[in-house]
Amino acid sequence: MDIDKTIQFILETQAKHEAAIQQSDERYARFREQTEERFKTLVDTSLSLAHYLEALAQRVEETRASVEETRASVTELRESQVHSDARMDGLANITRDLVQTVDKLVKRNGKP
């Protein structure tokens, strides 16, 4: 009878261990599925981020080029403004001289 009890104990213990192993296997399978899904999500997210970073880098480059063009235009406008100021000063001098000449002519002719 002791042998029967021992055999029964061994069989029960083995059954419990097999059940525990089965539960561990099931947990591991769920964990693996979740991990694979998370990894897939991580890869997809990384690829999306890489795509967005490439697009951002392109936009930054376009913005840099636009800023350079704007800077060149502002420099050109500044130079043009210097020339315009010089011409305006010249016109102002001519106008002043003309006004002075007209004033002198009017005074010579005796008209107020």
Side-chain angles (χ1 to χ4, degrees), residues 5-111:
K5 286 183 182 181
T6 303
I7 291 174
Q8 184 63 30
F9 173 77
I10 290 172
L11 291 175
E12 288 173 2
T13 303
Q14 184 177 3
K16 288 178 186 176
H17 286 174
E18 285 178 10
I21 289 171
Q22 180 64 32
Q23 287 177 345
S24 292
D25 287 346
E26 290 170 2
R27 281 193 303 252
Y28 175 74
R30 284 192 307 271
F31 173 77
R32 184 175 176 150
E33 287 175 20
Q34 292 170 347
T35 301
E36 287 174 357
E37 186 61 33
R38 288 177 184 155
F39 183 75
K40 181 182 178 292
T41 301
L42 180 61
V43 168
D44 291 345
T45 302
S46 297
L47 291 174
S48 292
L49 284 173
H51 173 73
Y52 289 126
L53 286 174
E54 287 176 8
L56 179 61
Q58 178 64 32
R59 288 185 183 124
V60 166
E61 181 57 30
E62 290 169 1
T63 301
R64 187 202 61 74
S66 178
V67 166
E68 288 300 318
E69 289 175 14
T70 302
R71 185 175 294 159
S73 294
V74 167
T75 300
E76 185 179 322
L77 284 172
R78 188 180 306 129
E79 291 171 2
S80 177
Q81 185 64 40
V82 167
H83 296 295
S84 293
D85 288 348
R87 286 190 299 241
M88 193 61 110
D89 289 343
L91 283 174
N93 291 335
I94 291 170
T95 303
R96 185 184 66 245
D97 292 345
L98 183 60
V99 168
Q100 287 174 352
T101 302
V102 170
D103 282 346
K104 287 178 185 177
L105 289 174
V106 169
K107 288 180 186 178
R108 277 189 203 165
N109 290 333
K111 294 181 183 175

